[in-house]
Amino acid sequence: MAGRPARAAGRELPGLSVDAGGGEAELARLRAESDRVAQSLLAMDDHPGHRLLRGTTLAGETARRWESANAAMVGLWEWFDAYRAVLAQAGATRDAAERRRLLTGPEVVLAAPPPARTLTSPAVAAERITLAELVTRMKHRYAELTALFDEVHAAWSARLAVLDPVAGRLAGLAESGTVRALRAEVAAAHARAVADPLTPDAAAAGLADRAAGVAALLEGFAARVAAVTAVLAEAGAVRDEVVALRVVVVAEIAGEHPATPEVSGPAGALAGLRLRFPEVRERELTEVESAAAAVLERTRAVAAQLAGSVERRAELRGRLDAYRAKATARGHAEDAALAALHRAARDVLHAVPCDLRAGTVAVARYQRAVQDRTEAAR
């Protein structure tokens, strides 16, 4: 029903009119136009918005507007019957003056609507109007009704255009508490859309995004688990390097050294999610992903710090040797003071464990002394 367009004939009543001439030709024209009006009214009855309204238990704003619209439709048909009755009378008379009177005078009798009567309220008399006045009223009411039906159909179609794909997406997902709850919400929103399409449904807002999020989680769970597993495997490999490197550093480099990171926490959490699938939430998987990434980052940092200590010692030893070669080349090989500074630096750097801070200071002293003697000799 949602995709069926309203019939073109249900949009606007044909242009009924009357002519003071009152001849046979004019009467024939009015009869033909009244037949087309009947077709338009039948098309309005079959409007998808009208079928939705009359075939559903309505609520809210839609029920309120349909109550008055339904009465208006009954009245519109009654007006059309009155119109046809006057045309029938005009066709039955052979008196031209009588025919003109029927077609142009206030000969249409409209029953008064039942008032809210009280004991003392005055009676309301029936109304008499001309065919032209009746046509004006019919056109106005017809336009109001078709506008309502268009509005209802458009609102209902818009709601279902959102809800139906969500329901379809959820139907293909593995059963879980979250999926079942979302399905129930979508079904309830669908029922509200049918019963009251004219009232905005705040409770349905965000259903499409939430369903898409759950679908993405469940459908992408295996790939994300595989990615986390790869991260933890890399962290484990780096950790093995850290364990071996730490043995060397602790034995040969003095000072405090970072502890070896553990990967068991994120690995255990990931195993738990696998066992609970599909009863998992986005937040839980995101936390495991973040924890795994943090372990890998921390393990890499520890490995870099430990390796940096060994590299720093090697760099200091290489610099000390380079400046000794420079002193020798400048003729200071027999300089006792330089030899003492070199020996002190070398002893620190080759001690086990090696104090890198002290070694840095000792190498700097020897380096300055060599530079001072080199500059003095120029």
Side-chain angles (χ1 to χ4, degrees):
M1 185 187 300
R4 179 177 178 179
R7 296 184 185 175
R11 298 298 182 185
E12 182 178 351
L13 280 174
L16 294 180
S17 62
V18 293
D19 183 357
E24 291 290 342
E26 179 65 11
L27 181 60
R29 186 184 67 80
L30 292 178
R31 283 173 172 169
E33 288 191 345
S34 72
D35 289 341
R36 290 195 294 272
V37 170
Q39 294 174 2
S40 294
L41 294 179
L42 289 173
M44 181 181 67
D45 268 355
D46 198 40
H47 191 295
H50 180 216
R51 285 189 278 116
L52 173 66
L53 289 169
R54 72 171 183 255
T56 306
T57 301
L58 302 175
E61 174 69 7
T62 306
R64 184 189 67 78
R65 293 179 64 180
W66 169 238
E67 183 178 3
S68 60
N70 190 34
M73 282 196 70
V74 173
L76 181 57
W77 277 104
E78 290 175 349
W79 287 353
F80 181 63
D81 288 343
Y83 180 86
R84 293 291 290 267
V86 172
L87 288 185
Q89 292 178 37
T93 182
R94 294 182 178 277
D95 187 329
E98 175 70 8
R99 183 174 296 125
R100 284 195 299 272
R101 182 183 63 79
L102 288 170
L103 295 179
T104 62
E107 298 302 320
V108 181
V109 180
L110 301 183
R117 297 297 300 274
T118 65
L119 183 62
T120 58
S121 62
V124 180
E127 185 180 10
R128 300 181 68 89
I129 61 175
T130 66
L131 282 178
E133 291 171 336
L134 178 60
V135 168
T136 299
R137 294 190 187 185
M138 289 172 65
K139 285 184 175 182
H140 180 71
R141 180 167 294 186
Y142 181 88
E144 288 181 337
L145 289 169
T146 53
L148 172 63
F149 298 156
D150 287 344
E151 182 182 357
V152 167
H153 186 252
W156 180 64
S157 298
R159 294 272 193 92
L160 267 59
V162 174
L163 294 174
D164 286 350
V166 174
R169 187 80 183 272
L170 292 173
L173 297 180
E175 286 291 332
S176 71
T178 301
V179 171
R180 285 190 293 272
L182 273 174
R183 286 174 182 165
E185 286 191 56
V186 171
H190 187 283
R192 292 193 299 272
V194 173
D196 188 14
L198 297 182
T199 299
D201 190 357
L207 268 178
D209 289 342
R210 289 165 56 200
V214 171
L217 170 63
L218 299 184
E219 293 169 352
F221 182 79
R224 292 173 70 178
V225 166
V228 174
T229 301
V231 169
L232 292 176
E234 183 179 355
V238 176
R239 184 183 183 279
D240 292 342
E241 297 175 6
V242 167
V243 170
L245 184 59
R246 196 171 189 278
V247 171
V248 175
V249 173
V250 168
E252 298 185 3
I253 308 295
E256 296 184 1
H257 306 294
T260 303
E262 293 293 336
V263 299
S264 56
L270 183 63
L273 291 183
R274 280 173 163 166
L275 291 175
R276 289 174 46 221
F277 183 82
E279 296 291 349
V280 296
R281 296 183 180 275
E282 175 65 30
R283 173 183 54 81
E284 297 171 323
L285 183 53
T286 300
E287 288 176 353
V288 172
E289 289 171 330
S290 298
V295 166
L296 177 58
E297 182 179 3
R298 175 59 182 161
T299 305
R300 286 172 173 170
V302 170
Q305 184 176 349
L306 293 174
S309 297
V310 176
E311 292 169 359
R312 175 60 176 167
R313 183 182 64 177
E315 187 271 333
L316 289 171
R317 287 178 176 178
R319 193 193 314 173
L320 180 64
D321 291 345
Y323 272 88
R324 185 184 184 187
K326 182 177 181 179
T328 301
R330 295 293 191 277
H332 303 297
E334 304 301 325
D335 189 315
L338 280 181
L341 289 173
H342 177 269
R343 185 168 50 255
R346 187 179 185 283
D347 289 346
V348 172
L349 293 178
H350 288 271
V352 178
C354 171
D355 187 337
L356 290 179
R357 291 183 179 179
T360 301
V361 172
V363 170
R365 286 174 180 169
Y366 180 71
Q367 180 179 338
R368 284 196 301 271
V370 171
Q371 289 174 336
D372 291 343
R373 284 162 175 73
T374 300
E375 292 175 356
R378 292 177 180 175

